[in-house]
Amino acid sequence: MLRTALMLTCLSLPVAAQTLGDQQLSIVPRTVAEAARIATVTAPTSDFTKPEPFEEKPAGAATVRARPNADAFSQFSGNMPFAHQMNFQLGNALFTKTWVASPSSTLASDGLGPLYNARGCQDCHLKDGRGHAPEGPDDRAVSMFLRLSVPAGSSAQDIEDWIATANEPTYGGQLQDFASPGQVAEGQMQITYTDLPVTLAGGEVVTLRAPSYSVGGLGYGPLDSATMLSPRVAPQMIGLGLLEAIPADDILAQADPDDADGDGISGRPSIVPSAEFGTPMLGRFGYKGGAATVRDQSAAAFSGDMGLSTPLHPDPWGDCTAAQTGCITAPHGQEPKNRDGLEVDHASLDLVTFYARNLGVPERRDIGDVGVLRGKQMFYTLGCTGCHTPKHVTHRLEKQPEQSFQLIWPYTDMLLHDMGEGLADNRPEGRATGREWKTPPLWGIGLTPQVSGHSQYLHDGRARNLLEAVLWHGGEAQAARDGVVGLPATDREDLIKFLESL
């Protein structure tokens, strides 16, 4: 299918094709006057006595009502035309579908594994929310897994600052802790925590938990001695299509890799190969910006998490390696005459991508509360907006109305930042170093307990509340973190109240 491409120049890269979806699109360029108006609308506020115009609608017209239950993240975009709603519901059915191993009588649902982390998308993203770290030996890590890699001597990627790594030779790119009948699971993630006390102004002590990761019960022999482990908790799913629709030029304009303005913030764009388009593109998704589009991210999850083949990853054995002979000789669900010869065919991947792109962002709560407004002012004053950019305006998209020309409030700059040694996983991913992470969006973060039933945050769920998440910030965010430590208790409470309103 033809696509209309958005063209951008990424650092020293040649001009690369960039798209916002898999449907035929028509992007309306901004006029000079329109760009000037957008710059005014997205400029940081200096008035904290009242909410800003449209602040209660973090996704613009796509914002949905904040349901008072666990379904708050499972609604379609508030401005979705009726004609598109069936595709969303079909995508939801595939997202919540439970896959089974081959051979099976359920030919429309077979092909799982042979090695895998989950049997369905919603196993990890329950209610489209955030996963959690295991809470004990009996709590299997269905919504959390370990990335695996080893250093590589050279890189085939023609991307500036690319750090060459390779999958672990025996176990592949991630540890799969489940296996189909007759197969052996790769192993089990093991976590130990060390207490790390932090004393706040006024004498209050907060005890952080510093995690350490290892692998037990290895099913295929030892890991390579140079293996790097990095944990990943499934992130929330809301607003992905709107993040995909932010103009790349707007994101690149915020990059300051050499900290030329001297503010201590030096964000860098992640540039990654897109499986969808076969070219380097701006990395928007994943904790280190490892995926360029929602479709790229969805296909990678089908392959790596569930061992299912898609048009972008046609291998029917997912992350299995040549050393895992039982895996690569096991039955699979690919049939030449059905589903395009794939386990997840083109139409199914389209529907899941559409669903993921259109999960609605709930409206804000209590935005006029005095404590929330004071907390917002502290968020700005402490410099948190140096990475968590409050506002963006998306592209005009003639055939994608849900994401077209919306003023959105995701609180992210979509860039990589050095977050210090405390949060470092010491595992590079593409251009991202072992200390860098992409700024996560904050919209919906206050609804995590309601949707997900817990209050764990950060890439590995180590933070058990929002204050702990803030106290783990270091590197480029060290000054802001130290500012929070020095606040009077009532001011810290207001800051957290503001975050809970997002």
Side-chain angles (χ1 to χ4, degrees), residues 146-195:
L146 286 173
R147 294 274 188 211
L148 309 174
S149 60
V150 296
S154 61
S155 173
Q157 302 298 337
D158 185 21
I159 297 176
E160 182 183 350
D161 295 334
W162 189 266
I163 305 171
T165 59
N167 289 344
E168 201 281 337
T170 300
Y171 291 88
Q174 66 189 62
L175 184 76
Q176 276 109 9
D177 52 357
F178 293 99
S180 301
Q183 303 294 322
V184 178
E186 291 184 325
Q188 302 297 322
M189 175 178 61
Q190 298 178 332
I191 314 174
T192 58
Y193 292 104
T194 302
D195 287 348

Side-chain angles (χ1 to χ4, degrees), residues 119-142:
R119 297 181 63 189
C121 304
Q122 187 153 243
D123 288 357
C124 295
H125 304 278
L126 184 62
K127 294 292 185 178
D128 307 296
R130 190 185 306 270
H132 70 280
E135 296 177 354
D138 297 328
D139 184 8
R140 296 295 295 273
V142 177

Side-chain angles (χ1 to χ4, degrees), residues 65-99:
R65 181 173 62 87
R67 291 183 177 179
N69 55 38
D71 293 322
F73 288 176
S74 299
Q75 306 170 73
F76 54 76
S77 301
N79 57 347
M80 180 177 287
F82 180 76
H84 290 185
Q85 292 175 22
M86 179 61 76
N87 283 344
F88 181 87
Q89 299 300 341
L90 291 171
N92 179 42
L94 289 164
F95 194 84
T96 58
K97 176 179 183 175
T98 298
W99 294 82

Side-chain angles (χ1 to χ4, degrees), residues 321-375:
T321 70
Q324 296 166 330
T325 54
C327 180
I328 61 177
T329 58
H332 58 77
Q334 290 188 343
E335 301 173 41
K337 296 183 180 180
N338 295 313
R339 296 185 290 183
D340 302 332
L342 299 163
E343 292 160 333
V344 179
D345 61 15
H346 290 74
S348 296
L349 182 58
D350 286 347
L351 289 168
V352 170
T353 300
F354 183 82
Y355 174 77
R357 186 179 289 137
N358 279 287
L359 283 163
V361 179
E363 60 194 355
R364 290 274 306 279
R365 287 87 50 214
D366 303 320
I367 61 172
D369 179 87
V370 173
V372 169
L373 290 170
R374 289 185 68 250

Side-chain angles (χ1 to χ4, degrees), residues 1 25-26 37 56 70 157 193 199 245 272 281 300 322 461 463 479 483:
M1 185 178 290
L25 302 178
S26 181
R37 290 197 300 272
E56 76 279 7
Q157 302 298 337
Y193 292 104
T199 302
V272 296
M281 293 169 60

Side-chain angles (χ1 to χ4, degrees), residues 9 22 85 92 96 98 176 182 276 314 388 454 476 490:
T9 303
D22 62 324
Q85 292 175 22
N92 179 42
T96 58
T98 298
Q176 276 109 9
E276 182 177 4
H388 291 284
H454 65 77
E476 297 174 42
T490 54

